[in-house]
């Protein structure tokens, strides 16, 4: 009897099947959405992607709706197998089901055994993404110098004053009867008491491999050439700039990262995109994405409990509920509004606007990570553990990065157009016009002085702010501000 391949909701691309005719199992569990409030557009995307995959496979697929996964599996006649799940909770469940075969992980370029071998050799010091990325490029022969040429170089820091010519818009997402059915179901669930956050709206992210592949092809042609220069830029006028907005497609398994890496590499070799654009894009897929996935399995489960800076404040309601209208600081209002309206922003607003503010205010890292996971269409446990708890909130003893992503308003001004027209002045730390990020940064430094002085950059920042009278005034001002919307 053929084994039925269970495709989890983040394993929906063709590369998760060995035989295109293999019988498939897909499972919907409504109760998962009752456990905690998820962004409405994220819930829609997950259900739409599952149902679209079932429709694509036709009679080959068995789509079950059940109260629990265990109950659904009892309704399957054939033996069932599943690719390695993408969370510890899902893996433990799969291992607890008698007769369920767990296959090796897919959807990543570096195997867990290869990473563990590299990490075990490298653990004389902290594991660093840059070191892993060099290993991965050699291991997979990516971006090696062409004959008579040189390898890719470093990208220059983006200049927020240099605005690129707008590329053509990506292929539109056209909703269909499946999306309409999903929206009716979510409306009914909400009426029955299932809570969502964020605004509903037309689906903005691919739900099929075909949609995702079309978006990837458009990015490689029209946006990749500017990626190196504009990837870090933030703008209230253009939330995409040079970005592909395909993180959810990779994390749902709609796209296989290895062909995407090879396609970007080919753009460099063909001369249609410069090395300073191709290298940072590939670094994101072959470097950061792989590194975060591997760290999750190498260090978990203790990672989630890390809180090195002893942050104890709860997430305020206005932030948890995506109430951008309560915020006057232009950057935070715009970025929080983007999460509310699109369930997505690119990496710079995540780190320097959202995560930076949470870090400065001392919000609990686990609550911040949970918020990111629930409110972003690409939010997953393995991504948010390392990027939020590690990089953003610096709660992991520098396991992921060497210093916290804490900056003041002048840094935000340097790479964005947000400070123009904002009621706050980015260079001011005190007074009515004081930027909440500038005052917050100074307060963060002083509160955590003993933990941060070992970092040369932060020690220098502290030395520049060592006037006792100024320090006490900033601390008093920011304690009064607390976690109220700025």
């Amino acid at each position: 009897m053929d084994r039925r391949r269970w495709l989890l909701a983040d394993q929906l691309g063709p590369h998760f099947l060995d035989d295109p005719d293999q019988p498939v199992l897909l499972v919907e569990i409504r109760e998962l959405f009752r456990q905690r409030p998820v962004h409405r557009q994220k819930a829609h995307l997950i259900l739409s992607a599952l149902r679209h995959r079932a429709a694509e496979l036709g009679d080959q697929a068995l789509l079950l709706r059940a109260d629990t996964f265990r109950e659904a599996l009892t309704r399957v006649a054939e033996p069932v197998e599943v690719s390695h799940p993408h969370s510890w909770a899902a893996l433990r469940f799969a291992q607890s089901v008698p007769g369920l075969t767990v296959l090796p992980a897919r959807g990543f370029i570096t195997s867990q055994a290869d990473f563990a071998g590299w990490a075990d050799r490298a653990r004389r010091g902290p594991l660093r993404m840059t070191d892993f990325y060099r290993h991965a490029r050699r291991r997979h022969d990516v971006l090696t110098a062409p004959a008579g040429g040189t390898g890719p170089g470093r990208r220059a820091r983006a200049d927020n004053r240099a605005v690129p010519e707008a590329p053509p818009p990506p292929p539109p997402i056209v909703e269909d009867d499946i999306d309409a059915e999903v929206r009716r179901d979510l409306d009914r669930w909400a009426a029955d008491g299932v809570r969502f956050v964020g605004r509903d709206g037309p689906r903005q992210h691919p739900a099929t491999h075909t949609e995702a592949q079309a978006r990837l092809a458009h990015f490689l042609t029209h946006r990749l050439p500017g990626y190196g220069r504009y990837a870090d830029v933030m703008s209230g006028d253009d939330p995409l700039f040079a970005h592909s907005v395909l993180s959810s497609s990779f994390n749902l398994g709609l796209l296989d990262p290895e062909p995407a890496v090879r396609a970007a590499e080919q753009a460099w070799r063909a001369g249609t995109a410069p090395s300073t654009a191709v290298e940072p894009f590939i670094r994101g897929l072959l470097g950061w994405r792989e590194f975060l996935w591997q760290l999750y399995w190498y260090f978990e489960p203790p990672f989630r409990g890390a809180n090195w800076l002893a942050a104890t404040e709860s997430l305020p309601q206005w932030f948890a509920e995506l109430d951008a209208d309560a915020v006057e600081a232009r950057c935070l209002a715009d970025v929080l509004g983007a999460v509310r309206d699109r369930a997505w922003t690119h990496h710079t607003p995540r780190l320097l606007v959202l995560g930076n503010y949470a870090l400065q205010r001392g919000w609990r890292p686990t609550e911040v990570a949970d918020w990111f996971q629930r409110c972003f269409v690409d939010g997953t446990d393995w991504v948010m553990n390392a990027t939020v708890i590690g990089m953003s909130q610096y709660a992991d003893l520098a396991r992921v990065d060497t210093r916290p992503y804490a900056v003041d308003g002048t840094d935000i001004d340097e790479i964005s157009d947000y400070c123009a027209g904002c009621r706050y002045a980015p260079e001011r730390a005190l007074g009515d016009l004081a930027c909440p990020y500038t005052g917050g940064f100074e307060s963060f430094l002083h509160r955590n002085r003993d933990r941060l002085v070992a970092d040369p950059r932060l020690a220098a920042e502290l030395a520049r702010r060592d006037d006792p009278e100024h320090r006490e005034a900033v601390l008093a001002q920011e304690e009064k501000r607390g976690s109220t919307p700025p």
Side-chain angles (χ1 to χ4, degrees), residues 99-121:
L100 178 60
T101 301
V102 179
L103 305 172
R106 300 189 181 203
F108 295 88
I109 302 170
T110 298
S111 71
Q112 288 173 273
D114 185 14
F115 180 87
W118 169 82
D120 289 344
R121 293 190 299 272

Side-chain angles (χ1 to χ4, degrees), residues 18 25 165 176 246 261 301 330 352 381 387 405 426 461 479:
D18 298 314
L25 171 66
E165 182 179 344
D176 56 17
L246 288 171
V261 165
R330 187 178 172 214
L352 296 191
D381 203 32
T387 56
Y405 273 82
E461 297 279 6
E479 182 177 3

Side-chain angles (χ1 to χ4, degrees), residues 426-468:
E427 71 280 0
R428 295 198 182 187
L430 278 174
D432 291 340
L433 298 181
C435 173
Y437 284 89
T438 302
F441 177 62
E442 291 198 15
S443 176
F444 165 78
L445 290 177
H446 295 313
R447 293 196 322 269
N448 295 284
R449 171 183 293 268
D450 293 341
R451 295 182 176 93
L452 300 176
V453 289
D455 180 272
R457 187 188 73 87
L458 294 177
E461 297 279 6
L462 278 162
R464 292 198 302 112
R465 297 168 171 83
D466 212 28
D467 176 75

